């Protein structure tokens, strides 16, 4: 039934977020720690022969092969697949960190990668300093950070602790702070590697609300997860990845059918 | 909804396209110089957190070095202290700027691995971060510069605009060195060690402490072919009220242009790969 469900092909309205990935192939050169040494590299030049690259530890891993993906505002895509199937790599490529080897990625809208909450967090700095720094990294101007400071500080519920260095915090408190800052940025495209759940039971509840609000405001969500219930809950579309190959995008109600396939292609 | 941001990434379409991307990275990084400064200032603050003097510790240790070496070399080279002390003071302060920026350049990308692998921040942002961090350190050490300029009456004879022009040219040169070492060190982890040795060797080959004597034979060769001599002299000589060598400024301009061409060429060629080196 779902096989006929194709992504909308109408051109996106210019004022709306969209993601368009065509024929994306990503290869990682793996520079073995041996090959990273200059001596080996010079030795290779000195020998003068054309040696097989693989023999020197510089092998290439193809992480994503010929992936196509079209998403429009309102799409909430769940990415499923085994470990190493390329989900995180795809998210990083969508964030703009990885350049395609072939094909193209086009994203309109402000991208907020929530892939690693600890990004840009400095344990020796105080809570407030961390909020400012993380906000700047996320693309806020110094003034915008100051405007949002009270709201973020209030949300963490850490009160006077914000003036103390982060290393004095418990793991849960640190997570609260990181979460509050990471989710303070309004974005059109939200990228998440696993649903973020932090803090104690009370905090989890408000964090959940905040994340839902963020997803609601964002045009597009791409969520990679192994938790199928989560995907059923938050996503309206799914794509399965298998060894770097992506399936077509199907509505979430066809999830079971997608899983039942022996492989995606 | 107002959506201004747009990102398009494609596979390589040849050198010209890669060059356009590298230029785009450059222009985005210049527009986002405020972020580089925030990161640089954060580095300075966090490095000296909990210490009372903060970055002035380095200033203090430089001052002690200036006094020690100043008195010693005045005696050794038989030159009046009033000449040696400002010479050594300015030499040590500005040599510190040059060598630290190049050495710390090696870490520019390696340190930023986390941010580079999951955001679309321009890569050159992290090169500017290193340069600005060292400029912030220099601001602290200006205490020493002001002290010798005031204490030895250099302000009467100095040519401040020329010294500032020299500083600008030095920054133009250290930043391409910073970019170059950042890229190569990301790929080959031996480079930081090599860079450190080269800078240490250069410190002794450059008249940081010792006064250059007659320009004959080896001395002439050492001064003419040492890029760091020209860099240092372009700032120090005008402050000392001496005209820098005629060739110094043209050497610096040519070196900045050639250096940026090489470094930016390498950046263009490797930009896609750098994130995978890390």
């Amino acid at each position: 039934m779902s096989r006929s469900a194709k992504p909308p092909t109408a051109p996106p309205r210019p004022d709306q977020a969209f993601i368009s990935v065509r024929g994306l192939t990503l290869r990682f050169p793996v520079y073995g720690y041996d090959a990273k040494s200059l001596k080996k590299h010079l030795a290779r030049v000195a020998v003068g022969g054309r040696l097989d690259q693989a023999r020197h530890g510089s092998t290439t891993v193809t992480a994503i092969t010929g992936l196509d993906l079209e998403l429009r505002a309102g799409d909430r895509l769940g990415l499923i697949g085994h470990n190493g199937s390329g989900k995180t790599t795809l998210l990083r490529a969508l964030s703009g960190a990885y350049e395609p080897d072939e094909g193209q990625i086009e994203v309109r809208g402000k991208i907020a990668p929530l892939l690693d909450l600890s990004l840009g967090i400095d344990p020796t700095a105080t809570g407030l300093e961390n909020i400012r720094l993380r906000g700047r990294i996320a693309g806020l101007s110094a003034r915008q950070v100051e405007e949002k400071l009270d709201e973020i500080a209030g949300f963490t519920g850490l009160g006077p602790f914000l003036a103390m260095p982060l290393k004095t915090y418990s793991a849960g408190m640190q997570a609260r702070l990181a979460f509050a800052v990471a989710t303070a940025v309004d974005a059109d495209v939200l990228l998440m590697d696993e649903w973020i759940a932090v803090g104690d039971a009370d905090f989890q509840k408000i964090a959940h609300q905040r994340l839902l609000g963020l997803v609601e405001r964002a045009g597009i969500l791409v969520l990679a997860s192994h938790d199928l219930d989560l995907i059923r809950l938050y996503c309206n579309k799914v794509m399965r990845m298998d060894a770097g190959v992506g399936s077509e995008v199907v509505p979430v109600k066809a999830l079971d059918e997608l899983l039942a396939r022996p492989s995606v292609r | 909804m107002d959506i201004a941001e747009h990102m398009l990434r494609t596979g390589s379409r040849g050198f010209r396209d890669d060059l356009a991307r590298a230029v785009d990275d450059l222009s985005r990084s210049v527009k986002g110089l405020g972020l580089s400064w925030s990161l640089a200032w954060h580095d300075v603050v966090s490095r000296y957190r909990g210490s009372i003097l903060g970055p002035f510790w380095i200033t203090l240790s430089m001052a002690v070095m200036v006094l020690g070496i100043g008195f010693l070399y005045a005696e050794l080279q038989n030159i009046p202290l009033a000449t040696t002390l400002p010479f050594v003071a300015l030499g040590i302060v500005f040599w510190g700027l040059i060598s630290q920026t190049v050495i710390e350049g090696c870490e520019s990308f390696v340190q930023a691995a986390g941010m580079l692998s999951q955001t679309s921040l321009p890569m050159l942002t992290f090169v500017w971060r290193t340069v600005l961090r060292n400029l912030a350190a220099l601001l602290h050490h200006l205490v020493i510069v002001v002290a010798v300029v005031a204490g030895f009456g250099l302000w009467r004879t100095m040519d401040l605009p020329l010294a500032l022009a020299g500083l600008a040219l030095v920054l133009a040169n250290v930043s391409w060195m910073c970019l170059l070492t950042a890229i190569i060190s990301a790929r080959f982890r031996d480079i930081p060690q090599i860079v450190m040795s080269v800078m240490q060797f250069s410190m002794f080959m450059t008249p940081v402490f010792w006064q250059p004597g007659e320009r004959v034979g080896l001395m002439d060769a050492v001064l003419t072919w040492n890029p760091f001599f020209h860099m240092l002299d372009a700032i120090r000589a005008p402050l000392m009220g001496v005209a820098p060598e005629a060739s110094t400024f043209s050497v610096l301009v040519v070196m900045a242009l050639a250096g940026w061409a090489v470094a930016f060429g390498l950046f263009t060629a490797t930009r896609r790969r750098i994130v995978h080196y890390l």
Side-chain angles (χ1 to χ4, degrees):
Chain A
M1 58 175 186
S2 62
R3 287 223 152 210
S4 59
K6 282 187 178 146
T9 44
R13 294 200 355 234
D15 61 337
Q16 286 201 324
F18 74 83
I19 293 177
S20 166
V21 178
R22 291 201 198 111
L24 173 69
T25 295
L26 264 176
R27 297 187 197 93
F28 289 171
V30 181
Y31 303 98
Y33 272 75
D34 268 340
K36 253 183 186 163
S37 136
L38 185 63
K39 193 176 80 188
K40 293 262 166 88
H41 202 77
L42 290 179
R44 197 192 308 179
V45 176
V47 171
R50 278 184 35 154
L51 290 172
D52 180 13
Q53 274 200 314
R55 281 173 59 190
H56 285 273
S58 171
T59 37
T60 306
V61 173
T62 306
I64 294 179
T65 315
L67 187 126
D68 294 306
L69 177 65
E70 296 283 332
L71 295 174
R72 296 282 174 270
D75 284 348
R76 319 233 172 282
L77 178 74
L79 277 180
I80 54 172
H82 294 295
N83 295 21
S85 58
K87 303 188 296 294
T88 303
T89 305
L90 178 60
L91 289 175
R92 288 186 172 192
L94 290 176
S95 82
Y98 290 163
E99 297 271 338
D101 286 287
E102 283 162 36
Q104 69 169 43
I105 305 171
E106 195 178 357
V107 179
R108 192 196 300 280
K110 185 165 172 47
I111 306 166
L114 299 183
L115 304 182
D116 175 8
L117 275 190
S118 64
L119 174 75
I121 294 288
D122 175 1
T124 63
T126 68
L128 284 175
E129 284 171 329
N130 269 300
I131 293 177
R132 290 201 176 93
L133 191 69
R134 184 61 167 79
R136 297 286 280 127
I137 293 170
L140 297 176
S141 71
R143 192 189 303 161
Q144 285 171 319
V145 172
E146 295 308 318
E147 282 168 8
K148 291 197 175 224
L149 200 60
D150 285 342
E151 186 265 327
I152 299 171
F155 183 77
T156 61
L158 294 171
F161 283 99
L162 285 175
M164 310 242 291
L166 220 67
K167 62 186 174 191
T168 63
Y169 292 16
S170 71
M173 288 161 78
Q174 287 192 18
R176 275 183 176 225
L177 184 106
F179 176 85
V181 196
T183 53
V185 184
D186 271 320
D188 306 308
V189 176
L190 207 57
L191 307 174
M192 262 198 269
D193 203 353
E194 289 299 337
W195 189 259
I196 308 164
V198 290
D200 49 33
D202 285 343
F203 188 73
Q204 275 194 15
K205 212 173 283 170
I206 56 169
H208 190 78
Q209 287 304 319
R210 184 176 169 100
L211 212 47
L212 278 184
L214 197 64
V215 170
E216 214 59 57
R217 286 195 300 278
I220 299 175
L221 166 75
V222 182
L223 165 69
S225 182
H226 294 287
D227 188 337
L228 297 178
D229 292 334
L230 213 61
I231 287 189
R232 282 201 182 87
L233 201 55
Y234 298 120
C235 300
N236 54 18
K237 298 187 168 179
V238 266
M239 176 162 127
R240 178 175 157 190
M241 294 194 67
D242 223 338
V245 179
S247 70
E248 75 274 15
V249 175
V250 301
V252 73
K253 55 182 189 292
L255 180 59
D256 292 324
E257 192 192 319
L258 189 66
L259 285 169
R261 290 191 216 163
S263 110
V264 296
R265 267 181 196 170
Chain B
M1 200 161 31
D2 173 35
I3 298 178
E5 295 191 39
H6 181 244
M7 181 186 87
L8 177 67
R9 298 282 154 99
T10 63
S12 182
R13 289 170 178 169
F15 184 79
R16 190 174 288 195
D17 186 59
D18 281 345
L19 184 64
R21 300 300 171 79
V23 170
D24 177 59
D25 188 292
L26 175 66
S27 80
R28 284 194 300 138
S29 76
V30 171
K31 276 181 210 143
L33 219 50
L35 172 62
S36 298
W37 174 252
S38 297
L39 290 167
W41 188 248
H42 179 83
D43 289 339
V44 173
V45 171
S46 62
R47 196 178 293 180
Y48 299 101
R49 196 178 301 281
S51 91
I52 299 167
L53 286 184
F56 285 111
W57 271 115
I58 308 287
T59 311
L60 190 67
S61 83
M62 271 186 176
V64 170
M65 205 154 101
V66 165
L67 287 175
I69 293 176
F71 279 101
L72 180 69
Y73 274 66
E75 198 71 19
L76 278 180
Q77 289 194 297
N78 215 359
I79 302 168
L81 196 63
T83 322
T84 314
L85 210 56
F87 182 86
V88 171
L90 298 175
I92 288 180
V93 168
F94 291 108
W95 176 259
L97 170 74
I98 297 168
S99 85
Q100 277 302 309
T101 312
V102 176
I103 290 173
E104 289 178 15
C106 298
E107 298 296 314
S108 302
F109 291 153
V110 176
Q111 219 176 28
M115 281 183 245
L116 287 176
S117 62
Q118 47 183 308
T119 66
S120 57
L121 290 176
M123 308 199 79
L124 291 175
T125 291
F126 299 97
V127 173
W128 307 136
R129 173 195 195 172
T130 305
V131 175
L132 289 174
R133 179 172 60 222
N134 281 283
L135 214 51
L138 176 72
L139 288 180
H140 292 88
H141 308 330
L142 280 185
V143 174
I144 298 178
V145 175
V146 170
V148 292
V149 165
F152 290 92
L154 295 183
W155 50 271
R156 273 180 244 129
T157 51
M158 73 178 180
D159 186 349
L160 193 59
L162 194 64
L164 288 176
L167 178 64
L169 276 176
V170 166
L171 288 178
N173 276 295
V174 288
S175 34
W176 70 254
M177 293 178 188
C178 193
L179 172 60
L180 200 63
T181 53
I183 297 172
I184 308 178
S185 317
R187 178 69 181 84
F188 302 107
R189 300 301 161 96
D190 312 75
I191 296 297
Q193 305 299 326
I194 297 175
V195 170
M196 222 179 290
S197 313
V198 168
M199 291 317 289
Q200 196 167 29
F201 175 73
S202 308
M203 182 175 74
F204 292 110
M205 298 309 284
T206 309
V208 180
F209 318 128
W210 48 272
Q211 303 259 2
E214 287 266 333
R215 293 199 56 165
V216 283
L218 186 63
M219 176 66 80
D220 187 50
V222 164
L223 295 184
T224 309
W225 298 105
N226 181 352
F228 296 112
F229 164 68
H230 295 287
M231 288 166 79
L232 194 56
D233 218 40
I235 308 175
R236 182 168 57 185
L239 286 178
M240 299 276 298
V242 184
E245 284 185 37
S247 62
T248 289
F249 275 78
S250 33
V251 165
L252 290 186
V253 169
V254 170
M255 193 163 78
L257 292 176
W260 265 106
V262 170
F264 204 73
L266 186 67
F267 179 61
T268 301
T270 56
R271 196 182 51 87
R272 295 168 170 281
R273 294 268 149 255
I274 291 173
V275 66
H276 301 307
Y277 296 160
L278 299 170

